[in-house]
Each structure stands twice: as C-alpha cells, then as structure tokens.
Amino acid sequence: MDAYLERLGALPMFGGCTNKELRDIARIVDELQVESGRVLMSQGDAGQEAFVIEEGAAEVVRDGQLLATVGPGSYVGELALIDAGPRSATVTATTPMRVLVIGTREFSTLLDEVPGLARRVLVSTARRLRAANEGAHQPIH
C-alpha cells in the first residue's frame, strides 16, 4: 500500500496531499489497464468519469483536429464532471496505458474533501482551455 500511495503522491493532481488524503483517494479510485487504440471518451458523450494517466499516452481530438498528446501526470475528462456537459473531445490511447478512474460522485467527494485539489484542477483546466482557445485563433496555413 505504501508504494501505491507514493505513486499517487507523485502525480501532480495529488501532489501536496497528506498520507491520510492519499489513503482516502486510494479507496475511491480504480486502476485500469488500457490497450493502445482504446477510446477513453468520445466527443459529445455524457461524462461519467475522469482519468488520471499514470503510464502511457493518449491523443485529445476535437472536431477531427488534434488538440494535444497527454501522458503521465495528465488528467482528462474532468470538465464534463464539473459542469455535467457533454465531452468536449475524444481521447484515444496511443500506447498501452495505466490510468486511475474517478467516477462523478467520487470526483465531487475529492474536490470537497481534499484541500487544494479543487484549486489545482481549476487552474489546470483553465490553462488547458486557454491554450485550446489560443490555438483556435491561430492562422491556418
């Protein structure tokens, strides 16, 4: 269990959490192995979970355009859990992955009970949205 808590604590989303908070997180997240090519979420679908990437990589595509490649330490899917809106992008594994899965209710619990986590999620999400919006305004060549 200590090694698992160390892995959780090494992820930017959970950095700065106490051992008690990491134990609480460990109880409510599920670990999942994902094969290359698997779609984690599809644009327009309802969001039921968010994913924290421990190992591997995935592509984030919106309206057929590659927005980003994400890897260890990144998380995806939280936007639909925050606002209950549809998925804003499709995320597909480009390599085998190990991810932590956080359901809607568990995500809300984490944001309510782990000090600082809501702010980290908010700041990270705002940065990604800003980058995506800035990219959308770049000239097309």
Side-chain angles (χ1 to χ4, degrees), residues 45-93:
D45 286 355
Q48 302 298 318
E49 67 278 314
F51 301 89
V52 181
I53 302 169
E54 279 196 276
E55 293 178 359
E59 290 183 341
V60 181
V61 174
R62 181 185 311 137
D63 299 328
Q65 292 198 324
L66 178 66
L67 296 180
T69 299
V70 291
S74 298
Y75 48 94
V76 294
E78 80 286 354
L79 192 58
L81 301 186
I82 292 170
D83 71 357
R87 297 288 192 191
S88 60
T90 297
V91 179
T92 305

Side-chain angles (χ1 to χ4, degrees), residues 6 12 48 124:
E6 280 184 37
Q48 302 298 318
S124 175

Side-chain angles (χ1 to χ4, degrees), residues 17-37:
C17 290
T18 67
N19 280 338
K20 181 198 178 307
E21 290 167 341
L22 291 173
R23 282 192 300 275
D24 292 343
I25 292 165
R27 279 197 297 276
I28 63 174
V29 300
D30 292 317
E31 190 173 282
L32 179 66
Q33 299 293 326
V34 177
E35 66 276 1
S36 181

Side-chain angles (χ1 to χ4, degrees), residues 103-117:
T104 303
R105 187 172 356 123
E106 293 82 5
F107 186 74
S108 291
T109 298
L110 281 179
L111 294 182
D112 289 342
E113 294 182 4
V114 178
L117 182 60

